[in-house]
Amino acid sequence: MDPSSVMLSQAILLLQCIILTLGQYDICKSLVSTDDGPTWENYACQPKPMSMKEYMQIRVEPPDITCGNPPERFCTLENPYLCSDECDASTKELAHPPELMQDRERTGLITYWQTVTWSRYPDPLLANISLSWNKILELTDDIQITFEYGRPTILVLDKSLNYGRTWQPYQYYADDCMDAFGMLPKRVQDLTATNVTRVMCTEQYSRWVGSKNEKNVRFEVRERFAIFAGAKLQNMDNLYTRMESMKGLRDFFTFTNLRLRLLRPALGGTYVQRDNLLKYFYAISNIEIPARCKCNLHAGQCSLRDGILQCDCEHNTTGQDCSACEKGFKAKSWKPGSYLPTPNGSPNICEASGTSGKCNCNQLGSLHARCNDTGFCQCRDGTVGQKCDDCLSGYTWKQGCVPNVCDDEFLLCQNGGSCIQNQKCVCPPNFKGVLCEQPRCQGEKGCDGASTCYLSTLTLMLCLLANSLLKASA
């Protein structure tokens, strides 16, 4: 294979790798060339997944369920009669407030929220933990709750789709599902494509196996995705197709709020021992909620603005969830984007009001999408034409009109330099400067006249890669 072919093959491979890392539905639009000039081609798009624990608001009920006020002793299930540990809200080192469920634990020490012990509550020890974001979210991976000192023997995970006004169960957890909820136990592996959205009870995360060995309680999202996309999630097209065609599937992974109902603490594998209730309590060190902002496939980014997560809307849409058309873009009623046809989906953009969306301005050259009463668009600097799709002399079209750095008429590259796309002079080895007007070695030490290649970062990488391959094959 000749050197130029080797370099071209490696360049294509590198670009393919870059494209693969972008993932599916990450790009909202791409610049394409048409007979009328460059314009945007739109795609269905969604934000990347994030760790939503960074943004969640936590509310614990009842308000006095957190330990430390007044100070209280407690012991663990491993050492049930060595009750020398203390929770004291007035001392930082001994306090266990709710915010420790979402801290990063940068010091390396495990920190956790903790309730009072059962000795303070003669009735069953009950606690609710409500998580809110003031935003519609979609799960992208497993929810994981990490319990210190033992997982609850009975727990319910609820979700809300209307900001906490009403709730519905997401999953039941118990050491005995039939006894606790009158339900036969199931695992996600028992589910099929036809009943994947069924609310089930699992015994997988509640039976006592030793708190030091098993701390996590999960709501399995990835395994549910795998029912459609395969064990390694390699067939995501099938999952996205099912999201569109199967009623209720996408809503199943959608929520605005989550709630943990803690109904009975870890018992250590035995019955409740009433003579020592100091060993029964709840403690949570971490809650992981991997999810993305739901933007109705009209945004590729989600930002925290004024303390609220908001979609950075594209496709002429607006609102916190991109759930409405912008003013002046209501010729076609609002619709959410669609995953189909894969892999780019249908953006279902809002079209400009007026005569079927016609006399529209070039989005790159004009300040506004619509023309004024005279039929002309308001152009950006350096741009002319009725639709703002042409450039003044001294400007070149490059995602809009940009000033020329060099040209073949007024801004000539000097000393044999070549002007590339009116934006850069490529200079001979012995000259430098914007227009190659400066001798490279004038007054400098170590100048030996060796040729130097001034390239963009990507081009330089490709050159080095091709050079190393050529050396290896020589």
Side-chain angles (χ1 to χ4, degrees), residues 227-301:
I227 292 174
F228 306 103
K232 296 183 179 179
L233 304 185
Q234 293 177 330
N235 189 8
M236 292 297 288
D237 279 359
N238 188 46
L239 173 63
Y240 288 126
T241 299
R242 291 298 189 107
M243 288 283 194
E244 291 289 343
S245 61
M246 185 174 171
K247 184 178 180 180
L249 181 61
R250 191 171 179 188
D251 285 345
F252 181 76
F253 300 105
T254 302
F255 63 98
T256 59
N257 301 60
L258 295 172
R259 181 174 68 184
L260 295 171
R261 284 189 281 146
L262 309 177
L263 303 181
R264 192 169 69 193
L267 302 181
T270 64
Y271 58 89
V272 177
Q273 297 175 332
R274 297 280 175 186
D275 61 330
N276 185 12
L277 296 178
L278 295 178
K279 62 182 178 179
Y280 302 127
F281 55 89
Y282 304 104
I284 296 179
S285 62
N286 192 42
I287 299 178
E288 288 292 345
I289 314 285
R292 65 164 55 91
C293 295
K294 183 172 182 177
C295 301
N296 290 293
L297 294 177
H298 287 313
Q301 300 282 341

Side-chain angles (χ1 to χ4, degrees), residues 27 49 66 75 120 126 195 214 239 241 303 328 350 393 402 465:
I27 301 175
T66 299
C75 44
R120 292 270 303 277
L126 306 178
N195 66 2
E214 294 291 341
L239 173 63
T241 299
S303 305
C350 293
S393 178
V402 295
L465 181 60

Side-chain angles (χ1 to χ4, degrees), residues 109-348:
L109 298 174
I110 296 177
T111 57
Y112 51 90
W113 164 77
Q114 183 175 324
T115 68
V116 298
T117 66
W118 205 336
S119 63
R120 292 270 303 277
Y121 279 76
D123 293 327
L125 183 62
L126 306 178
N128 287 346
I129 302 168
S130 299
L131 312 174
S132 62
W133 291 267
N134 196 29
K135 178 76 183 76
I136 304 176
L137 304 175
E138 296 177 309
L139 288 173
T140 57
D141 211 326
D142 295 358
I143 296 174
Q144 179 173 291
I145 306 105
T146 304
F147 287 87
E148 299 297 323
Y149 304 112
R151 300 177 295 190
T153 53
I154 304 179
L155 161 69
V156 181
L157 174 64
D158 294 327
K159 78 166 184 175
S160 174
L161 285 167
N162 54 14
Y163 302 96
R165 289 190 291 274
T166 60
W167 296 90
Q168 60 193 71
Y170 226 169
Q171 189 151 294
Y172 296 95
Y173 302 81
D175 58 348
D176 188 327
C177 284
M178 185 58 71
D179 180 66
F181 301 112
M183 301 171 66
L184 291 173
K186 285 188 177 294
R187 300 178 63 161
V188 176
Q189 294 93 315
D190 302 326
L191 300 177
T192 65
T194 58
N195 66 2
V196 67
T197 60
R198 175 178 294 176
V199 176
M200 67 179 197
C201 179
T202 179
E203 297 176 353
Q204 186 176 355
Y205 302 103
S206 302
R207 290 182 172 169
W208 175 257
V209 291
S211 62
K212 291 184 178 179
N213 298 321
E214 294 291 341
K215 297 182 177 183
N216 296 326
V217 171
R218 291 181 180 273
F219 177 74
E220 302 98 332
V221 172
R222 180 173 286 265
E223 289 184 49
R224 286 177 167 87
F225 286 168
I227 292 174
F228 306 103
K232 296 183 179 179
L233 304 185
Q234 293 177 330
N235 189 8
M236 292 297 288
D237 279 359
N238 188 46
L239 173 63
Y240 288 126
T241 299
R242 291 298 189 107
M243 288 283 194
E244 291 289 343
S245 61
M246 185 174 171
K247 184 178 180 180
L249 181 61
R250 191 171 179 188
D251 285 345
F252 181 76
F253 300 105
T254 302
F255 63 98
T256 59
N257 301 60
L258 295 172
R259 181 174 68 184
L260 295 171
R261 284 189 281 146
L262 309 177
L263 303 181
R264 192 169 69 193
L267 302 181
T270 64
Y271 58 89
V272 177
Q273 297 175 332
R274 297 280 175 186
D275 61 330
N276 185 12
L277 296 178
L278 295 178
K279 62 182 178 179
Y280 302 127
F281 55 89
Y282 304 104
I284 296 179
S285 62
N286 192 42
I287 299 178
E288 288 292 345
I289 314 285
R292 65 164 55 91
C293 295
K294 183 172 182 177
C295 301
N296 290 293
L297 294 177
H298 287 313
Q301 300 282 341
C302 187
S303 305
L304 190 69
R305 299 195 295 274
D306 300 324
I308 299 175
L309 284 171
Q310 301 184 59
C311 300
D312 299 338
C313 299
E314 301 277 359
H315 307 156
N316 305 322
T317 62
T318 187
Q320 187 184 11
D321 311 314
C322 306
S323 56
C325 290
E326 284 188 319
K327 185 178 180 180
F329 289 90
K330 297 182 179 178
K332 189 176 180 181
S333 60
W334 179 91
K335 285 178 61 178
S338 171
Y339 287 117
L340 301 178
T342 59
N344 293 324
S346 302
N348 295 330

